[in-house]
Amino acid sequence: MTLLKMKFNQQRRVRLAQGLWLMSWMAVMCGAFVFCLGVYLKIELLRRAEVMDNAEIHVVPNILIMVGLASIGTNWVATRVCQDSLDATRFPRWKVLLLPWFAVAALLCCLLVAVVVLSYALQGRLEESLKEGLRNGIRFYKDTDVPGRCFQKETIDRLQMDFRCCGNNNFKDWFEVQWVSNRYLDFTSQEVKDRIRSNVDRRYLLDGVPFSCCNPSSPRPCLRYHLTDNHAHFNYDYQGEELNLHPRGCRKALVDYYMGLLNSTGPGVLSVILIQMSVFLSLRYLQTAVEGALDLENPEDESEGYILEKGVKETFEDVKLQILGLLKFGQVDPTEEAPVDEDAEKAASPSPDS
C-alpha cells in the first residue's frame, strides 16, 4: 500500500524542485545557525570550567556543533539533487546516494530532538556540578602561589562582579573557609593568634567577604568585615540589613544564566527540525516523482510521488534487508569452495602408465 501518494505533472515537478532548492539553502543557513549556537555555548561553558566539577553539560554544545556541520553538508547535497532532478542524464547518479542521505537526515532530526530534551534534563547535573566547583573555587581562593590555582582568585572575583553574586549559596559561605592567604597575615598580632587558636583546623576564619561581593549600586559604603556584629558599625542591623552585598549566591546566578541559554535554544532548534523535516519529505516526493517520470515513455507525462511505496512494516523489512546486504557486500563466504584449477590437478595426479 502506497502511503501519501500525490500526482505530479512536469510543471509541478519543476515547481517542487525550485521550492525545495530554496528550502535546502534555508536549511543550510539553519545548519550554520546550529553550529554557531553550539560554538557559543561551548565557549561560555569553557569560560567557567574552573568552577564546574564535571563536563557532562558539554554534551549539548558538542551535539549542536556536530549536527550543524552535518546539516550544512546534507542540505548542500539536497540543493545539488534539486538541480539535477529535471535532467534525465544526471539524476540517475543520485539514486544510490539518496538512501544514505535519508538515513543521515533522519538521524540529524533525532539528535536535534535529543538536544532539546537534554537542555531541560541536565539542569540537575549542571546545578550539582556548579555546587561542587564553586565550593572548591572558594576553598582555593587564597592559593595564589600554588601552581594550577594561581588564577582561582581572579576567576572567583570576576565571576562575583559579573554575575552580581556572592559565595556558593550566599555570602555566609565565605565564613567557613580561610580566604586570606597566610602571607598577608601578621602572626605577631594577638587578634590573628586568637582567631587561629579558636579554630580546630588552625585556620584564620572571619565574618567577612572579599571585595568582589560588594554591591556597587548600594548607597551605603560596602561593609566587608564583622558582618555579624551589630556593634561594629553605626546604625547597623545584622538581621535586617542587606549588608551592601550581592544578595544571591553564584550557583543560583550561574544556573539561571546557563539554563536561560539552553532553554533559549529550544525554539530555535525546534524550528530547524521543522525545516529539516520539510526538506526530508519534499525530497522524497521529488525523488519518487522524477523516478516515476523517467520510467514512462514520455518523461513529461504525469507521475506519482509518495513517501512510502509500501506499508511501514514492509518498508522497514526492505530497508533492513538492504542494510544487511550492504554489510555482507565484499565478505567471503567461508562455506564457498575455492575454484579448482583443472590443469594443475591433472599435472599432480599420476598417469595410468606410471
Side-chain angles (χ1 to χ4, degrees), residues 24 39 49 58 62 72 83 118 131 133 160 163 165 172 192 236 261 263 285 290 296 310 326 328 332 337 347:
S24 298
V39 171
H58 285 266
N62 290 342
I72 293 173
Q83 292 176 349
L118 287 173
K131 177 182 178 180
Q160 294 189 143
F163 287 88
C165 59
K172 293 182 182 179
V192 174
Y236 175 73
L261 287 178
N263 293 340
Y285 273 118
V290 172
L296 300 175
K310 303 176 182 178
L326 291 174
K328 292 181 179 180
V332 178
E337 297 181 357

Side-chain angles (χ1 to χ4, degrees), residues 277-289:
M277 287 300 299
S278 300
V279 173
F280 182 93
L281 297 177
S282 299
L283 186 58
R284 177 58 178 169
Y285 273 118
L286 181 64
Q287 175 200 6
T288 54

Side-chain angles (χ1 to χ4, degrees), residues 90-91 170 210 233 262 313:
R90 291 190 297 178
F91 182 78
N170 52 54
H233 310 285
L262 292 175
K313 184 178 180 180

Side-chain angles (χ1 to χ4, degrees), residues 53-54 123-133 135 251 255:
D53 188 54
N54 60 59
Q123 180 175 357
R125 294 296 184 92
L126 174 64
E127 189 169 357
E128 189 64 28
S129 173
L130 288 171
K131 177 182 178 180
E132 193 65 29
R135 181 185 301 165
R251 180 178 58 175
V255 168

Side-chain angles (χ1 to χ4, degrees), residues 246-262:
H246 297 304
R248 63 175 178 172
C250 289
R251 180 178 58 175
K252 177 74 164 55
L254 284 174
V255 168
D256 291 345
Y257 174 71
Y258 282 120
M259 289 310 300
L261 287 178
L262 292 175

Side-chain angles (χ1 to χ4, degrees), residues 2 9 18 44 56 100 152 160 191 300 339 354:
T2 304
N9 54 28
Q18 292 173 343
E44 286 298 306
E56 289 184 359
Q152 196 71 54
Q160 294 189 143
E191 180 185 359
E300 296 185 1
S354 58

